[in-house]
Amino acid sequence: MKFHIHTYGCQMNVRDSEAVEALMLAAGHERAAGEADADVVIVNSCTVRQKAEEKAVGKAGNLIAAKKVTGLMGCAVKRLGADVFKLLPKLDFAVGPRRFGLIPHLIDRVVNGGEHGLLEVGDDEVPTGIDAHSGLARAGAPFQSYVTVLLGCDNRCSYCIVPDVRGHEFSRPAREVIAEVRSLAEHGVTEVCLLGQSVLRYGVRNAAWDAGEPNPGGFNEAFPRLLRSLDEIPGLRRIRFTSAHPSGCTDELVRAYLECPKVCRHLHLPVQSGSDRILADMGRRYTREQYLAAVRRLRELDPEFALTTDVIVGYPGETEEDFEATRSLMEEAGFDNAFVFKYSPRPGTRAARLPDDVPVAEKERRDQVLLADQELRGQRRNERLVGTVREVLCEGPSKRNRARLSGRDGGNRIVVWKAAGSPPPVGTPVLVRVTEAHPQILVGEAI
Ligand code: 5AD
Ligand code: SF4
């Protein structure tokens, strides 16, 4: 049958959708040209904020009547459990984040067994035969691939539902990760992005180590050691990873950045707030000063080191003073890009027991203020790069202007340049001299 997957949420979900795609192809199904053309539609959902969940559930609801099979997967399914069928009574199947390996089997039960309303939300990982994924071309950018290194999360930040829906933290064994990246590189992938809710915690928990095998080197070393092993893989050009916690910005990590030429000098380091009082309430386990110390460390290593972040505005009890602290922290850190989120209470989290007392209009105002600050800061940060030469991996024509090519530099900055002649194949490294800076992109010419 022809299938289509609609993905909401973060890179983890993108990666999970890719794995499902590989499993569906292996089970003999084929990709539909688009949603309209599909017999089977799978919606991969997010639940990090209420709006995100509503979007995914709404999408599945709109499709149900028109499709032979409709399924919902991902984080919202885990949060809703059996209630998902109250919202979507005609849904054929629903699977939580660690159970998507069962999808082809569930489709078979729906199509050949006439069943519906199937629910899979257990906590055990269903093996997916990760090899099915290796060499799978990412639509549009076959030279890039996500690789999950850390599943779940045990941080328990007060506002966050992720530990409830993605389960306990678990590190995949290094040999498995290395084998996967090696295989991807053999299939032409030159850029990998290692995924985990808090990747620098890699190696703190994994099955073999829990069973008593010594953890080689401990927390401070496991991730840098993994980076060193991956850096040696032939054919690979770039290694990225996301997301990070400032406590992981250790000497060992700095050394790995310096020693491993393939490791990109970009880090997504969510700060959430610049107020010590709010950070403590959130359970973030760092102060403003500790966060800024991590930033300084990375910028000392390389002044061009690109830093991006996530910020929440309107957390319960956030005063004007707390908000101004966030503003000034963002300025001190000099972020290259920032994602701002309006606080949304998630059922069952610690923060959801506090009054959601910042009015919607005030959350909106704070959001706009931070975005306006970031526009100016992004422009200023990018102006420093005018005249420099960036190595960019070509991703093809720019979406906004087809006469231009687009790609990203090592700092994950979007770079566009004028196309001359036939465009180079996707993934080709191009040297671009920057001639113009904008808040979100660099414009230049190929040299
Ligand atoms: N409300 C608003 N934003 C949230 N995030 C996580 N939980 C919430 C919530 N309850 C944001 C954080 C996180 C990003 C992925 O989503 O900033 O880093
Ligand atoms: Fe990703 Fe969190 Fe959304 Fe799940 S709930 S898709 S982990 S952002």
Side-chain angles (χ1 to χ4, degrees), residues 77-91:
V77 173
K78 181 70 181 172
R79 192 189 80 76
L80 288 162
D83 286 351
V84 70
F85 296 109
K86 287 192 193 142
L87 294 172
L88 301 166
K90 298 216 172 89
L91 190 68

Side-chain angles (χ1 to χ4, degrees), residues 146-420:
Y146 290 124
V147 175
T148 310
V149 297
L150 199 78
L151 285 85
C153 186
D154 285 330
N155 278 348
R156 297 261 158 212
C157 301
S158 64
Y159 51 83
C160 188
I161 193 147
V162 170
D164 292 331
V165 295
R166 288 221 166 232
H168 281 297
E169 180 180 294
F170 178 84
S171 300
R172 282 180 66 205
R175 68 189 130 68
E176 211 176 289
V177 173
I178 295 165
E180 185 174 337
V181 175
R182 209 177 272 284
S183 159
L184 287 165
E186 280 161 11
H187 286 87
V189 168
T190 57
E191 178 174 322
V192 292
C193 180
L194 312 177
L195 298 181
Q197 291 298 339
S198 195
V199 277
L200 303 180
R201 279 176 58 83
Y202 180 75
V204 177
R205 287 187 57 104
N206 108 349
W209 299 332
D210 284 354
E213 224 179 85
N215 174 348
F219 165 31
N220 285 350
E221 274 196 28
F223 191 70
R225 184 193 300 252
L226 178 69
L227 291 178
R228 287 201 189 86
S229 308
L230 297 179
D231 198 63
E232 284 164 13
I233 293 177
L236 199 62
R237 291 188 80 94
R238 280 180 178 174
I239 302 165
R240 301 184 186 282
F241 46 89
T242 193
S243 286
H245 185 274
S247 62
C249 297
T250 58
D251 291 344
E252 275 300 313
L253 183 74
V254 168
R255 218 168 298 145
Y257 272 119
L258 290 170
E259 283 170 19
C260 302
K262 295 176 185 176
V263 175
C264 292
R265 295 184 174 181
H266 164 234
L267 194 59
H268 187 63
L269 196 61
V271 68
Q272 313 301 3
S273 172
S275 153
D276 280 336
R277 197 177 65 82
I278 298 286
L279 287 171
D281 201 274
M282 286 176 163
R284 292 291 295 169
R285 294 177 295 110
Y286 54 81
T287 62
R288 171 194 180 95
E289 192 39 48
Q290 285 168 327
Y291 183 91
L292 287 170
V295 168
R296 281 195 296 272
R297 216 165 195 187
L298 298 170
R299 289 266 167 74
E300 269 161 27
L301 140 86
D302 180 350
E304 280 181 13
F305 198 105
L307 276 169
T308 55
T309 202
D310 291 341
V311 172
I312 296 176
V313 290
Y315 182 82
E318 186 186 68
T319 62
E320 186 61 25
E321 198 186 339
D322 294 320
F323 170 66
E324 286 298 328
T326 298
R327 258 188 109 178
S328 69
L329 175 133
M330 291 177 77
E331 188 54 32
E332 273 183 59
F335 292 120
D336 294 274
N337 206 349
F339 301 90
V340 183
F341 302 103
K342 285 169 270 187
Y343 172 72
S344 160
R346 307 307 291 130
T349 59
R350 233 174 339 112
R353 295 200 294 260
L354 304 169
D356 181 13
D357 55 1
V358 179
V360 176
E362 182 56 18
K363 284 181 187 167
E364 184 61 37
R365 187 192 70 85
R366 293 179 187 179
D367 180 30
Q368 292 303 324
V369 169
L370 296 188
L371 289 177
D373 285 354
Q374 186 57 46
E375 273 294 282
L376 294 175
R377 189 180 308 120
Q379 175 75 33
R380 245 191 305 116
R381 298 263 327 147
N382 281 343
E383 269 165 16
R384 294 161 30 128
L385 301 176
V386 171
T388 64
V389 175
R390 323 301 304 166
E391 191 198 73
V392 179
L393 300 186
C394 181
E395 291 179 20
S398 151
K399 280 186 202 96
R400 280 201 223 148
N401 179 347
R402 307 298 291 177
R404 283 172 168 179
L405 292 166
S406 169
R408 284 170 192 268
D409 75 354
N412 214 29
R413 303 175 185 92
I414 298 171
V415 181
V416 302
W417 67 99
K418 206 162 94 203

